[in-house]
Amino acid sequence: MLSTGFPGHTQLLALSIVSVSLLAVEKISDISPLFFTGVLEAVVAALFMNIYIVGLNQLSDVEIDKINKPYLPLASGEYSFGTGVAIVTSFSILSFWLGWIVGSWPLFWALFVSFVLGTAYSINVPLLRWKRFAVLAAMCILAVRAVIVQLAFFLHMQTHVYKRSPVFSRPLIFATAFMSFFSVVIALFKDIPDIEGDKVFGIQSFSVRLGQKPVFWACVTLLEIAYGVALLVGASSPCLWSKIGTGLGHAVLSSLLWYQAKSVDLKSKASITSFYMFIWKLFYAEYLLIPFVR
């Protein structure tokens, strides 16, 4: 749920929760009103928490965003600082309130851990503002997007909605591992277009320390490795429809990634930003493929 500068957070959050929830479906009869109610509970509570985290990040980064992202509401002056504080406070309270009344411990702990990490990532107080440190920033995003989204929302459906014993199935392990790779890439890549503002304000991202080109190709390589592993997972599936869906889908995405990467002009911020948006489209696409993994 951490802010990463992508304009479609709401849709992605909803898609990821629906995708992971489908992994808890064991038979057709599981797709029932109970399923949709459980998904809706998770989506709304997570959306409220995401508004808090994204809003807090923008409150903490107003001056940086005036350089890197002047179009954002606070940086552009569309919202006042006081309005921003009121919004993030209200939605954090609403998120915890909904998580509590639903009565799902996996959901509540997902919200709580996201709140703690999102606050530590952004807020500018001693010992926090972890986004200043490349490894800590990457770990925050990795923990939320790769671990919490997969495990907590799956367990919300498995234990709270379906009242089944917690299990860590092959598809769930794959989804968590794959999204770990993807989250590392996002954590690394999101700073490549923002190198100018980060240098001014002392944000020691990997892009600032190592340079844009090495980080760019490291990100592409990590994703290609992840797609290679996904192809092997698909090939080893006992289900024909899973073999086809998983194998063909990841082969197409891998090819598109390589084709797009070769055309990026690393001297152009617009070109880098466009490729970053493309990576997020790949992230969307992965959640469409995850339910095929069996």
Side-chain angles (χ1 to χ4, degrees):
M1 300 176 206
L2 291 177
S3 171
T4 51
F6 184 68
H9 276 296
T10 302
Q11 298 94 320
L12 176 59
L13 184 59
L15 176 62
S16 63
I17 292 174
V18 172
S19 177
V20 173
S21 297
L22 285 169
L23 294 181
V25 172
E26 296 179 356
K27 50 187 182 295
I28 295 298
S29 60
D30 285 344
I31 306 294
S32 64
L34 191 65
F35 171 84
F36 292 106
T37 300
V39 170
L40 183 62
E41 292 169 344
V43 168
V44 174
L47 173 59
F48 288 168
M49 184 55 67
N50 195 61
I51 292 173
Y52 162 77
I53 293 172
V54 172
L56 179 64
N57 188 60
Q58 292 186 28
L59 284 171
S60 303
D61 282 1
V62 173
E63 296 304 318
I64 297 177
D65 287 339
K66 287 179 180 178
I67 299 174
N68 291 336
K69 302 180 180 76
Y71 52 85
L72 292 177
L74 288 170
S76 67
E78 181 181 351
Y79 288 175
S80 69
F81 191 85
T83 299
V85 171
I87 290 172
V88 300
T89 302
S90 299
F91 277 98
S92 64
I93 294 171
L94 283 171
S95 179
F96 281 123
W97 173 77
L98 181 56
W100 182 261
I101 64 170
V102 166
S104 169
W105 281 110
L107 176 59
F108 185 84
W109 279 106
L111 299 173
F112 179 75
V113 175
S114 297
F115 173 86
V116 171
L117 293 179
T119 302
Y121 178 87
S122 296
I123 197 167
N124 195 6
V125 299
L127 302 180
L128 297 182
R129 194 162 173 77
W130 290 352
K131 68 177 296 178
R132 293 177 297 170
F133 311 104
V135 174
L136 282 176
M139 291 304 296
C140 283
I141 295 176
L142 176 65
V144 174
R145 288 211 173 274
V147 180
I148 292 175
V149 168
Q150 269 61 244
L151 298 184
F153 293 118
F154 172 83
L155 291 174
H156 164 68
M157 298 299 296
Q158 180 77 5
T159 64
H160 175 73
V161 175
Y162 292 131
K163 309 298 183 185
R164 297 169 181 157
S165 300
V167 294
F168 296 94
S169 62
R170 182 173 180 266
L172 178 63
I173 293 170
F174 167 80
T176 304
F178 191 96
M179 287 309 181
S180 295
F181 268 81
F182 228 126
S183 298
V184 168
V185 170
I186 288 171
L188 293 173
F189 203 100
K190 75 180 185 63
D191 296 321
I192 297 177
D194 296 341
I195 193 169
E196 293 179 10
D198 288 349
K199 283 181 178 178
V200 172
F201 288 92
I203 304 297
Q204 293 297 307
S205 67
F206 282 111
S207 296
V208 170
R209 294 163 59 186
L210 303 177
Q212 291 174 304
K213 185 175 180 179
V215 175
F216 175 87
W217 285 109
C219 289
V220 173
T221 301
L222 282 174
L223 279 185
E224 292 292 0
I225 291 172
Y227 284 133
V229 172
L231 288 171
L232 293 176
V233 170
S236 65
S237 173
C239 303
L240 179 60
W241 59 268
S242 178
K243 286 180 184 288
I244 296 173
T246 305
L248 182 61
H250 287 102
V252 169
L253 296 183
S254 176
S255 300
L256 288 174
L257 170 65
W258 188 251
Y259 175 79
Q260 291 290 336
K262 290 193 298 181
S263 65
V264 174
D265 179 5
L266 292 175
K267 296 179 181 179
S268 168
K269 182 175 180 178
S271 181
I272 296 172
T273 301
S274 176
F275 187 75
Y276 179 51
M277 294 298 102
F278 173 72
I279 286 178
W280 274 105
K281 291 175 183 176
L282 294 179
F283 199 74
Y284 265 108
E286 188 58 34
Y287 276 116
L288 296 176
L289 293 178
I290 281 176
F292 286 96
V293 179
R294 298 293 166 176

